[in-house]
Amino acid sequence: MPIGSYIAVYFIVWWICLFMVLPFKVRSQIEDGVVVPGTDPGAPTLSRIGPKMLINTGLAAVVTLLLFWALSAPWLQEYFR
């Protein structure tokens, strides 16, 4: 499989994992009791996007490796034949 295919699959898995990781440890302005005028009350007070990106990158790498391992496993290929 060409390297471009690996990169494309990792990119798609990365985005899917990002949508799973984004809601973790998010507190809205209503939950913290501090609503900034002119903003949505449901907006997060502190998004912590940096650590989430790092966690997401590692998670996506693990999921991608597991995906390619499962697709190359002979017993799994035999099962789907």
Side-chain angles (χ1 to χ4, degrees):
M1 190 181 253
I3 189 74
S5 297
Y6 289 113
I7 293 170
V9 170
Y10 177 77
F11 181 75
I12 292 169
V13 169
W14 190 90
W15 276 103
I16 292 171
C17 289
L18 178 66
F19 290 120
M20 293 181 345
V21 170
L22 276 178
F24 294 160
K25 292 189 177 181
V26 174
R27 293 190 46 89
S28 68
Q29 293 180 17
I30 290 177
E31 291 172 337
D32 281 346
V34 180
V35 178
V36 178
T39 62
D40 185 71
T45 54
L46 185 60
S47 63
R48 298 181 187 98
I49 197 72
K52 288 181 185 182
M53 291 292 180
L54 291 174
I55 291 169
N56 184 52
T57 300
L59 177 65
V62 170
V63 170
T64 303
L65 289 174
L66 287 173
L67 178 67
F68 282 120
W69 172 78
L71 291 174
S72 66
W75 58 271
L76 192 59
Q77 291 175 355
E78 186 66 32
Y79 177 77
F80 285 111
R81 237 182 249 190

